Amino acid sequence: MPLLRLKKKQKITEEQIAAIVGKENVDSSSSERLVYSYDATPNYQSLPDFVAAPGNAEEVAALLKLCNETGTPVYSRGSGTNLCADTCPVHGGVVLLTKRLNRILELDKENLTITVQPGVITKEISDTVEKEGLFYPPDPSSMKISTIGGNLSENSGGLRGLKYGVTRDYVMALQVALPDGELIRTGGKLTKDVAGYDLTRLFVGSEGTLGVITEATLKLIPKPESQKTILALYQDIEAAARSVSAIIADKMIPVTLEFIDQDTLKAVEDFAHIGLPTDVQAILLIVQDGPKEIVDRDIHRIAEICRSKQAVDVRLAASEQEAEQLATARRSALSALARLKPTTILEDATVPRSEIAPMVRAITEIARKYNVRISTFGHAGDGNLHPTCLTDARDHDEMQRVEKAFAEIFEKALELGGTLTGEHGIGMTKAPYLEWKLGKAGVAVMRGIKQALDPSGIMNPGKVFAEAASEREANVK
Ligand SMILES: Cc1cc2nc3c(=O)[nH]c(=O)nc-3n(C[C@H](O)[C@H](O)[C@H](O)COP(=O)(O)OP(=O)(O)OC[C@H]3O[C@@H](n4cnc5c(N)ncnc54)[C@H](O)[C@@H]3O)c2cc1C
């Protein structure tokens, strides 16, 4: 199938956009265009022509229709915290902000759902439902700033993914504006619904390339009654990795099973000052929740397993406050590392959890081979590691080595039965490698879907689909 190309652009004017969203909600000043020329991904920047903030679903739909008719690219943007250059406006056009679509529309306690607009901040959803004894488990570390629209479009995960799954697992219904200006609804407040293709899941994780999510109904569960946190300390990184597999193999599914290496520990302690041990090679941060007796039993058993796998110490968080401090410290890992060097590149190669030990070993060897500094932390229980390279984009020679190192890390993850990205998305950074994972035929199916929904190619062009795949045999099993 040929590459999707944008139709020839007709000039779109600020007045045309203002007629839809109001003149105070469109901006083409150089300062505003600069603000939205990049996101949290280092080294990607490109200016949009306009920045527009529609105030309701109908305005979103009308704006898409105008852009579709004129062949103008549209980049939906929540808080811009994605790490794969997904909101970078590489082909110019309109950055569509969801900041005015920021209302919680309904909390339905009978059906255990919450219905929200896409610009609502993730933590606001958690805080709102927890006041009612309910629970929305997906908790990306960026939850204090990320929007639910961004979470849905990247299918974000978090620290609680091991037991509770990711954003996709909590989406029941969506309203989506399509490029031709149609508004459609998918799913409903239904536990069972097999009417037609699962369009809800199609839009989840589609990285803004198919339409704009204008409303979402999310599933809630009862808030767990208690929780406990332990830290297991290791002088041998692989012993920590082996503990992860051993805990799961013992038929226990903790809420959180996070791995943090020494480099990351030192950076986080320097940042958070909460007394983390920095003289060990790695720690596991483990949380279990549920009824008190079960939590006590699991935590006791997990501590035993860690000791049997050469943990040099196992510490129980003394209070809820200490447990929260530890979780917050882990969530700050990227920010803490980012202070150390001018450029921080964080990836999220993911392997089956039984392969964590070989993957951690491979990352260390690859970093040594290319003489680059890579720290590793991540959601070890999900097999989702975040090898994070601390570098300097101005050093071209080093950047080339960094690129080669990451290509080799992706290759290793695929060889171990894993994937290129567990939660951050493909965007621009991993587009050249997508074919390694899906094969030519898999990518062609995706192109067919894109063509059907967005024939003019206006939705987030330049993302997910690479102009040319990176050279290598596709690893389709
Ligand atoms: C410090 C830090 C920690 C992080 N921790 C995690 C983590 O633990 N887990 C994790 O999974 N990610 C994490 N991330 C990545 C990022 O926060 C997530 O991908 C998040 O979901 C992005 O939300 P956002 O509102 O910033 O979206 P944006 O970055 O603005 O957009 C992300 C994508 O969603 C699309 N989009 C946004 N809104 C809509 C909409 N309404 N309709 C259609 N498409 C839309 C955009 O076009 C883009 O493709 C982290 C990032 C940082 C900087």
Side-chain angles (χ1 to χ4, degrees):
M1 187 168 297
L3 286 171
L4 289 161
R5 296 224 181 271
L6 279 169
K7 266 198 217 155
K8 202 168 158 34
K9 249 202 292 186
Q10 290 165 32
K11 211 167 160 39
I12 186 175
T13 65
E14 187 159 344
E15 289 68 35
Q16 284 175 297
I17 301 175
I20 296 168
V21 301
K23 70 174 181 332
E24 62 287 11
N25 297 310
V26 57
D27 203 327
S28 61
S29 65
S30 46
S31 56
E32 192 75 351
R33 289 165 60 221
L34 191 60
V35 167
Y36 294 105
S37 63
Y38 60 94
D39 54 33
T41 322
N43 290 337
Y44 289 84
Q45 189 171 20
S46 188
L47 286 172
D49 298 307
F50 303 102
V51 179
N56 56 46
E58 288 69 29
E59 287 183 13
V60 173
L63 183 56
L64 290 195
K65 190 163 187 287
L66 171 68
C67 291
N68 200 37
E69 284 165 3
T70 51
T72 307
V74 180
Y75 314 87
S76 309
R77 179 171 169 128
S79 297
T81 65
N82 77 86
L83 297 165
C84 57
D86 241 340
T87 46
C88 182
V90 262
H91 289 278
V94 179
V95 167
L96 186 158
L97 302 179
T98 58
K99 65 178 185 182
R100 293 176 65 220
L101 303 169
N102 61 355
R103 283 185 305 128
I104 292 180
L105 301 173
E106 182 196 49
L107 176 58
D108 180 343
K109 292 191 210 164
E110 280 180 35
N111 286 303
L112 296 188
T113 62
I114 186 164
T115 299
V116 295
Q117 291 186 315
V120 174
I121 300 295
T122 319
K123 189 162 187 306
E124 193 187 333
I125 297 175
S126 292
D127 290 349
T128 303
V129 305
E130 286 187 30
K131 277 185 210 140
E132 303 292 337
L134 294 168
F135 195 42
Y136 175 69
D139 63 337
S141 299
S142 50
M143 67 191 290
K144 281 189 187 165
I145 41 171
S146 71
T147 64
I148 190 69
N151 293 178
L152 289 161
S153 303
E154 299 291 5
N155 190 13
S156 300
L159 267 61
R160 302 175 190 139
L162 175 56
K163 183 167 179 177
Y164 292 112
V166 295
T167 304
R168 174 184 56 217
D169 302 309
Y170 294 86
V171 191
M172 304 192 77
L174 294 176
Q175 183 191 52
V176 182
L178 297 177
D180 62 4
E182 282 291 328
L183 275 171
I184 60 163
R185 285 194 179 272
T186 72
K189 292 179 183 173
L190 302 159
T191 310
K192 291 180 154 184
D193 181 5
V194 292
Y197 292 163
D198 192 343
L199 295 179
T200 309
R201 289 221 169 186
L202 176 63
F203 287 103
V204 174
S206 64
E207 302 184 30
T209 61
L210 300 179
V212 181
I213 297 168
T214 46
E215 195 180 297
T217 298
L218 308 169
K219 180 171 88 173
L220 305 174
I221 58 174
K223 191 169 175 217
E225 142 192 333
S226 71
Q227 93 171 24
K228 274 194 174 162
T229 299
I230 53 171
L231 280 187
L233 283 48
Y234 295 85
Q235 288 301 1
D236 172 4
I237 290 191
E238 287 197 34
R242 281 193 300 271
S243 300
V244 173
S245 311
I247 292 165
I248 312 280
D250 204 60
K251 303 181 190 64
M252 273 179 300
I253 309 288
V255 182
T256 296
L257 219 178
E258 294 287 310
F259 171 90
I260 310 177
D261 74 0
Q262 188 180 36
D263 222 16
T264 313
L265 271 175
K266 283 184 176 163
V268 170
E269 177 54 21
D270 209 33
F271 181 74
H273 302 294
I274 60 163
L276 283 172
T278 51
D279 55 349
V280 291
Q281 291 299 313
I283 63 164
L284 292 178
L285 169 69
I286 307 167
V287 183
Q288 182 59 303
D289 71 2
K292 192 175 171 315
E293 320 76 72
I294 299 201
V295 172
D296 287 345
R297 184 200 66 192
D298 282 3
I299 285 289
H300 179 72
R301 180 80 196 110
I302 290 168
E304 270 179 3
I305 292 173
C306 293
R307 285 194 194 95
S308 76
K309 296 285 170 204
Q310 277 86 51
V312 291
D313 196 5
V314 178
R315 299 177 187 172
L316 178 71
S319 62
E320 257 181 50
Q321 191 195 0
E322 192 181 330
E324 191 45 46
Q325 266 185 342
L326 289 169
T328 306
R330 158 58 191 89
R331 288 194 175 104
S332 68
L334 174 56
S335 317
L337 286 167
R339 300 188 322 156
L340 303 183
K341 291 276 273 177
T343 311
T344 312
I345 303 176
L346 177 142
E347 282 304 347
D348 73 329
T350 302
V351 292
R353 47 177 94 95
S354 55
E355 304 294 344
I356 280 281
M359 192 64 214
V360 169
R361 195 182 319 133
I363 293 170
T364 312
E365 281 163 12
I366 292 167
R368 202 173 297 133
K369 174 174 165 189
Y370 289 100
N371 188 24
V372 291
R373 181 173 173 188
I374 299 184
S375 308
T376 301
F377 62 96
H379 319 295
D382 306 335
N384 183 195
L385 291 170
H386 290 315
T388 303
C389 188
L390 305 178
T391 179
D392 185 342
R394 293 163 299 186
D395 182 340
H396 295 295
D397 174 57
E398 180 161 307
M399 286 308 284
Q400 279 185 349
R401 283 183 281 118
V402 170
E403 213 170 283
K404 284 186 186 149
F406 274 121
E408 215 163 300
I409 287 173
F410 296 146
E411 196 160 6
K412 186 68 191 178
L414 292 172
E415 188 189 307
L416 293 172
T419 186
L420 305 169
T421 168
E423 57 183 15
H424 291 166
I426 294 291
M428 294 179 76
T429 55
K430 275 158 286 189
Y433 309 103
L434 185 62
E435 210 175 89
W436 293 9
K437 167 71 177 144
L438 300 184
K440 277 191 180 16
V443 174
V445 171
M446 283 184 43
R447 282 191 194 284
I449 294 170
K450 169 82 173 162
Q451 183 73 35
L453 284 152
D454 180 23
S456 311
I458 61 158
M459 298 305 309
N460 211 2
K463 315 300 162 58
V464 182
F465 301 99
E467 293 292 307
S470 242
E471 274 174 38
R472 177 191 180 276
E473 286 294 302
N475 184 52
V476 189
K477 290 181 180 149

